[in-house]
Amino acid sequence: MNHNQRNPVLLVHGLYNTVNKFNTMTNYLTNLGWSVHSFNLQPNNGDGHLDILAEQVNHYINNNFEPNQPLDLIGFSMGGIITRYYLQRLGGIDRVHRYISISAPNNGTLTAYALSRPGIKQMRPNSQFLQDLNKDIHETLSHLNITIIWTPYDLMIFPAHSSKINLGTEIKIPVFSHEWMVRDTRLLNILSQSLSQSVTMVKN
């Protein structure tokens, strides 16, 4: 199989977002020749457990792509944790060639203490959910082509360096707002470069 082809790209949004969050990104990548997909997570307000939302990602992929169709996956904010669960626990690692995480609370965020909704509680630092997901992150994701993008000025993911997971390529962009990340021209340029990288798939 040629791993240098342009795979379909699936975008997974964050808390309170819809597919409209990705309008700029979708148009940018589509104009460059990618087939871009996204869908609305239900619910998107933290009332749903993240592992259940990850099942929606799995369901969308299984129902919209052929079984042998490789994908590239981009997760923003809460969507970064949901996509990690899909990769690490639902077999997504066998389908995804390139994974890009944008401003995700990979090690939790203190802002998740503001609300006690189930999915938001799972994003608190040292939550049982994140502890379980992080305990084998290197074993499950180390062979994947990964790009981690974050901003030191993030006030939604706090502390901002919580987005780092010490895997793949880490890129820090000085964007002054969490919400602006998905529209930043520097980030969009990084996406096109990351999605164009050749991939060597190594399976255990």
Side-chain angles (χ1 to χ4, degrees):
M1 181 182 295
N2 177 15
H3 295 303
N4 297 325
Q5 82 272 24
R6 289 194 170 182
N7 295 332
V9 180
L10 176 61
L11 313 178
V12 181
H13 66 72
L15 189 68
Y16 303 125
N17 300 154
T18 66
V19 294
N20 293 332
K21 185 70 178 177
F22 292 124
N23 283 348
T24 300
M25 185 181 295
T26 297
N27 291 336
Y28 176 83
L29 292 175
T30 300
N31 289 337
L32 290 177
W34 272 278
S35 172
V36 183
H37 303 260
S38 58
F39 69 97
N40 291 324
L41 296 167
Q42 301 288 345
N44 68 348
N45 63 353
D47 279 344
H49 287 86
L50 303 188
D51 41 315
I52 302 301
L53 295 179
E55 295 279 3
Q56 295 179 21
V57 174
N58 191 38
H59 180 80
Y60 181 89
I61 290 173
N62 288 339
N63 283 275
N64 289 275
F65 302 102
E66 294 297 324
N68 61 346
Q69 172 63 60
L71 305 167
D72 293 338
L73 187 61
I74 299 176
F76 169 64
S77 194
M78 180 181 73
I81 300 300
I82 293 168
T83 49
R84 271 189 57 200
Y85 191 91
Y86 165 71
L87 289 168
Q88 294 180 245
R89 299 290 181 261
L90 300 179
I93 191 68
D94 295 323
R95 298 205 60 165
V96 173
H97 282 177
R98 303 172 186 86
Y99 173 55
I100 301 174
S101 171
I102 303 171
S103 294
N106 286 303
N107 296 288
T109 173
L110 295 175
T111 59
Y113 284 102
L115 294 170
S116 59
R117 293 171 179 166
I120 296 178
K121 290 171 68 175
Q122 287 179 306
M123 292 186 285
R124 292 174 179 175
N126 298 313
S127 70
Q128 190 61 49
F129 179 82
L130 286 178
Q131 285 187 45
D132 176 73
L133 209 55
N134 287 334
K135 70 183 180 184
D136 61 355
I137 182 172
H138 288 85
E139 290 82 354
T140 53
L141 298 183
S142 61
H143 300 304
L144 186 63
N145 184 292
I146 297 177
T147 304
I148 305 294
I149 309 173
W150 64 291
T151 173
Y153 302 112
D154 206 321
L155 297 179
M156 181 63 68
I157 309 303
F158 190 82
H161 60 73
S162 171
S163 293
K164 301 167 65 173
I165 59 174
N166 298 316
L167 275 176
T169 301
E170 177 200 315
I171 301 174
K172 180 169 63 174
I173 308 176
V175 179
F176 287 99
S177 167
H178 180 81
E179 297 301 329
W180 293 350
M181 286 291 282
V182 293
R183 302 195 303 269
D184 187 85
T185 55
R186 293 163 295 184
L187 181 137
L188 296 176
N189 183 56
I190 290 168
L191 291 188
S192 63
Q193 293 179 33
S194 298
L195 292 171
S196 299
Q197 291 177 356
S198 60
V199 175
T200 301
M201 303 298 288
V202 179
K203 295 300 177 186
N204 294 326

